[in-house]
Amino acid sequence: MDSSLTDQQQDKYRSYLHGEGEKNTNWKLGAPPNYDTVNKLFEEGRTKIWPPASLEEKVQNLVKTWEMEMFNKISFPDYKSVKLQNFTVSVNGRKPLSLEESRKLGGGYNSFMQTTLPENLRGYNPAQETEHSSHLAFTTAFPRGFALEVIQVYSGPPSIVYKFRNWGYMEGPFKGHAPTGELVQLYGISIFEVEFFFDRGELLGGLMKGEKLASGTDQAALSCPFLRNTG
């Protein structure tokens, strides 16, 4: 980590966010995101505290760094956590996608929420969402962010298999459903290079407990500019 940065500029869990190496990075919002709020949520809600420099801590920080780059960097050459020429991502056994293919599906949340369910059964329909609308939907529902921790690492390099947990509090509306304030979380397994297996229903079920709201109410929750800075 760049020792010339102040404590406020550094991030304890993510690399390639600040410093000389990022001076020419193209950020989606024009500047690096601030993760202070979601880091606080992570530290208050995590179930594991891994020893410094342990394999578990390294895997956890790598995943956080990769997420940060995926959600916030415009140009693929600015991604430093993966090898661009070899990178693909597969979710729940679906066809592996390159970065470009993932972005064409809407990137970010939308690429992870792909499904073969009939359209009338989709609480969240990725076919009707864009990168912007999907990011807006989830950051509105989780104003403090959607934290991630690595619970267990089953095998080390060259093939890393680990169990992860994501969680947040539904303190904003989601797709016409009122906020509940409740904890929403999901557990999954990931295999580096990079493949994810999880139940999207764990996430969507928790976001659809609230009463149905009048049309358009979700968008009114855009008040906080911080929301755009979380991944």
Side-chain angles (χ1 to χ4, degrees):
M1 184 173 290
D2 190 338
S3 60
S4 67
L5 297 174
T6 67
D7 289 342
Q8 286 73 28
Q9 291 175 307
Q10 295 177 352
D11 188 285
K12 293 182 288 185
Y13 308 112
R14 296 164 185 86
S15 303
Y16 313 127
L17 184 56
H18 300 287
E20 186 68 16
E22 302 306 317
K23 66 179 182 179
N24 295 319
T25 295
N26 293 311
W27 298 100
K28 289 183 179 179
L29 297 174
N34 185 302
Y35 282 93
D36 289 350
T37 300
V38 75
N39 285 349
K40 185 173 185 291
L41 177 67
F42 164 72
E43 290 168 357
E44 292 174 346
R46 60 186 167 181
T47 61
K48 304 284 187 179
I49 300 179
W50 300 114
S54 64
L55 175 62
E56 291 84 359
E57 184 194 57
K58 290 177 180 178
V59 171
Q60 183 169 265
N61 290 355
L62 174 60
V63 177
K64 289 176 184 287
T65 297
W66 172 70
E67 282 191 336
M68 176 275 296
E69 293 191 312
M70 179 179 64
F71 279 102
N72 294 284
K73 292 184 175 181
I74 296 174
S75 301
F76 293 143
D78 289 333
Y79 288 33
K80 300 180 178 70
S81 61
V82 296
K83 292 184 177 179
L84 297 178
Q85 64 272 27
N86 298 326
F87 178 85
T88 61
V89 60
S90 171
V91 177
N92 292 332
R94 298 175 69 89
K95 174 183 175 290
L97 301 175
S98 67
L99 286 170
E100 187 61 44
E101 289 171 326
S102 179
R103 182 167 285 182
K104 286 179 179 178
L105 289 175
Y109 290 105
N110 214 43
S111 62
F112 278 92
M113 299 302 288
Q114 298 296 311
T115 180
T116 56
L117 284 172
E119 292 209 7
N120 64 321
L121 297 179
R122 299 179 183 184
Y124 171 93
N125 188 355
Q128 297 177 352
E129 303 291 340
T130 65
E131 182 176 7
H132 174 73
S133 67
S134 64
H135 191 77
L136 178 60
F138 286 100
T139 54
T140 298
F142 299 121
R144 287 191 281 160
F146 200 44
L148 175 140
E149 70 171 334
V150 166
I151 296 174
Q152 187 171 353
V153 176
Y154 298 106
S155 66
S159 181
I160 301 174
V161 181
Y162 66 93
K163 183 176 182 180
F164 65 91
R165 169 181 173 246
N166 281 105
W167 74 98
Y169 289 87
M170 191 195 176
E171 295 163 330
F174 180 81
K175 292 297 175 186
H177 292 266
T180 64
E182 294 182 4
L183 172 69
V184 179
Q185 59 186 340
L186 68 85
Y187 294 84
I189 299 290
S190 178
I191 306 167
F192 274 164
E193 306 145 333
V194 169
E195 190 163 0
F196 289 88
F197 294 88
F198 63 89
D199 181 0
R200 68 195 292 274
E202 280 191 282
L203 172 59
L204 295 178
L207 290 170
M208 293 183 173
K209 290 182 178 180
E211 297 179 6
K212 288 289 288 184
L213 298 171
S215 178
T217 307
D218 286 18
Q219 306 308 317
L222 275 185
S223 54
C224 180
F226 157 77
L227 295 179
R228 302 192 187 95
N229 289 336
T230 56

